[in-house]
Amino acid sequence: MWDEVAAVLSGGARLPLVLVGVIGVCWAVAGLFGVSGVHTSAAYHLFVVVLLAVGLYGSTRGIALEELRGNVGVVVLAVTVGVLAKTALIAGVMYLVDSRPVSVVLGVAVAQIDPLSVAATMDRRMSERAKAILSAWAAFDDPVTVLLVVYFSAFALGTPGVLAAGLADFGTSLLLNAGYAVVVAGLWLLLRSRLPGWLVLLAAPAALAVAATQGLMLGIALAGLVVRPFEGEPRAEKAVERILTGALLLAGVALGAVLAGVVGPGSLGLLLKGLLLGVAAFGAQMLVGSLIAIRLPRYDRWCLALSQQNGLTAIVLALLLEPNFPGTVTVVAPAIVVTYVLFTAGAHILDRIPTSLPAVP
């Protein structure tokens, strides 16, 4: 049964469409049964943080390191200057509508590209180099945006960020995340040949639990570059992919349930703001992606410019921010749908463009 479901989900643009359907159905069902206040429970917070940890690990564990080595400079530029530039552009547009500091937080929450959605829909006819850059960009901008949300939310609230987990400052956070990644990766490299398979299955959730409870999201993403227990085992790799897809759909279930309790007759303004947020996110990617990929062939540059999609990370960040910034999920949910629609339209345009175009001098 699951094989048939997985086949449907892995088919091109179907995954984002299924996600939108899951959100809508769960929203309707939760509304029918009068579900509300889901986001106020302690179990809710732990649940979405675990989903975030799973998603961040999954985003980096699939990167082909040999392809990354030749594009480190472009990827670093994309996930540092690129993410900051996208955040500034999106937040600037949103600030014109709402001058509160929360506009900056919303800008960060959708500034990343979802790696799972991109992997399912953006193979297309890009060069191998462009695929490697987009894959690494989509993987690494997730933990960067998570860290930015921590500190921009602190700025907006005037208190420690909602994900800060007691960290005193940004430098301390980086050190703790780096230390976690080094310890986990070191233990893996030291013990991987001596650990039985069943112990690996126990160790992986334990490492994720530590990262989730301590807020070490960048650390779990860095560990994913090294800790790959099932690499080279097709059946196990496929099982991991199903877990990641399941995490995305579970996040959609949670988003639908929360929406049922927070969207009401007075939410039209927030929904319209979400449409604007989606357009702003896609427009920011068009500008920044074009500049980041300026030395690539023109077709590849267009592919990167039209690659904005949001998924697991954006959903989880919205779910985490909702208790402190009421209305966040009402804004982010339509923004995710808008980026999906614009991405799909861009993909249809790219399908009709020849790839044999000269590189930009």
Side-chain angles (χ1 to χ4, degrees), residues 79-95:
V79 301
T80 53
V81 177
V83 170
L84 289 172
K86 285 176 65 177
T87 298
L89 288 169
I90 300 168
V93 171
M94 299 307 295
Y95 191 80

Side-chain angles (χ1 to χ4, degrees), residues 262-290:
V262 299
V263 176
S267 301
L268 180 59
L270 292 175
L271 294 171
L272 292 175
K273 189 186 294 186
L275 299 180
L276 176 62
L277 179 62
V279 172
F282 202 86
Q285 176 62 28
M286 289 182 67
L287 178 58
V288 174
S290 297

Side-chain angles (χ1 to χ4, degrees), residues 27 90 94 97-98 100 102-103 105-107 109-110 255 259 262-263 267-279 310 314 318 322 325-339:
W27 183 354
I90 300 168
M94 299 307 295
V97 178
D98 186 350
R100 294 177 301 164
V102 68
S103 296
V105 181
L106 290 173
V110 297
L255 181 59
L259 283 169
V262 299
V263 176
S267 301
L268 180 59
L270 292 175
L271 294 171
L272 292 175
K273 189 186 294 186
L275 299 180
L276 176 62
L277 179 62
V279 172
N310 294 117
E322 178 66 25
F325 300 97
T328 300
V329 296
T330 313
V331 176
V332 172
I336 292 173
V337 176
V338 167
T339 59

